[in-house]
């Protein structure tokens, strides 16, 4: 029988870093909980358990530790400390008992990346990979986008520190890593966002 305690979780691309036009890092183990249901119905219980405001369409709310993101009209994603994800998912499921809702801890099925550096370069790296509009007025801090990263699905946003956060399925983590580091490679500058304030 499989004993999870003897096989501790390991993040995708553990400890990987790349320094180029921007710094690209594998973010390590990150708690992620999918919440599906009528947001109007599940919003208050979710807010009570997490202590976070329910985000508006395309919005994110956070307290420096946890982030609650709008993912679609019937889905939110809670980002939290990996160690608290299972217990937090159980609390959320309990608070939503009787509601038509789904709560799933998807932490081990996703991979997360952090990109840091000058904002124009962060947006340039991202713009090379996604068809989404990533101009500052289209993707300001406090907004999340779900789109494509070349051939795979991903989500991305700028956090409170101005870093770019990227999330994808763990099964394509190596591919997304190659995309991000390739787009950040020195010599690949296109200066598309040169007029964006630092």
């Amino acid at each position: 029988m499989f004993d999870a305690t003897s096989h501790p979780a390991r993040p995708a691309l553990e400890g990987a870093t790349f320094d180029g036009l921007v710094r690209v890092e594998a973010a390590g183990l990150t708690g992620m909980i999918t919440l599906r249901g009528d947001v109007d119905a599940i919003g208050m219980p979710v807010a009570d358990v997490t202590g976070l405001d329910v985000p508006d369409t395309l919005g994110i709310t956070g307290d420096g530790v946890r982030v609650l993101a709008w993912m679609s009209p019937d889905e939110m994603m809670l980002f939290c400390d990996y160690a608290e994800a299972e217990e937090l998912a159980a609390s959320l499921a309990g608070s939503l008992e009787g509601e038509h809702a789904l709560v799933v801890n998807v932490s081990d099925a996703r991979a997360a990346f952090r990109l840091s550096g000058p904002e124009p370069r962060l947006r340039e790296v991202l713009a090379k990979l996604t068809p989404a509009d990533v101009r500052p007025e289209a993707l300001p801090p406090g907004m999340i986008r779900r789109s494509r990263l070349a051939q795979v699905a991903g989500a991305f946003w700028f956090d409170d520190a101005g870093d770019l956060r990227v999330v994808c399925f763990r099964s394509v983590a190596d591919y997304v890593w190659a995309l991000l580091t390739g787009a950040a490679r020195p010599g690949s500058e296109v200066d598309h966002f040169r007029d964006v304030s630092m």
Side-chain angles (χ1 to χ4, degrees):
M1 184 171 151
F2 179 76
D3 178 9
T5 60
S6 65
H7 296 84
R10 296 184 57 123
L13 301 161
E14 186 171 15
T17 60
F18 174 83
D19 288 302
L21 302 178
V22 298
R23 182 173 178 82
V24 184
E25 302 172 79
L29 292 172
T30 304
M32 299 183 216
I33 301 168
T34 291
L35 303 151
R36 299 295 298 259
D38 180 345
V39 174
D40 290 336
I42 70 174
M44 189 57 71
V46 169
D48 288 343
V49 172
T50 64
L52 301 175
D53 293 332
V54 176
D56 294 327
T57 301
L58 297 180
I60 56 175
T61 60
D63 62 6
V65 177
R66 297 174 178 169
V67 171
L68 187 60
W70 182 98
M71 302 299 278
S72 75
D74 67 347
E75 180 182 3
M76 293 183 287
M77 178 80 78
L78 177 66
F79 297 89
C80 61
D81 186 87
Y82 182 87
E84 74 167 341
E86 194 63 36
E87 184 176 339
L88 195 49
S91 296
L92 286 162
S95 74
L96 296 172
E97 190 171 347
E99 294 287 349
H100 183 67
L102 175 70
V103 179
V104 181
N105 178 2
V106 297
S107 306
D108 294 329
R110 304 289 191 274
F113 302 93
R114 178 188 300 109
L115 285 74
S116 56
E119 181 184 334
R121 290 296 185 213
L122 292 172
R123 291 184 186 275
E124 178 179 315
V125 167
L126 186 57
K128 293 177 186 178
L129 306 176
T130 180
D133 187 347
V134 299
R135 293 173 300 147
E137 58 269 29
L139 183 66
M143 177 182 286
I144 189 167
R145 289 298 304 267
R146 294 175 80 173
S147 186
R148 309 291 297 174
L149 297 167
Q151 298 299 313
V152 298
F156 40 85
W157 72 96
F158 286 91
D159 66 18
D160 291 340
D163 293 342
L164 176 63
R165 300 299 191 119
V166 176
V167 175
C168 65
F169 289 108
R170 186 182 177 116
S171 59
V172 296
D174 286 338
Y175 175 74
V176 172
W177 174 259
L179 291 176
L180 294 171
T181 56
R185 195 162 300 282
S188 68
E189 301 88 341
V190 294
D191 292 326
H192 184 62
F193 294 100
R194 62 184 173 274
D195 294 329
V196 175
S197 62
M198 300 297 264

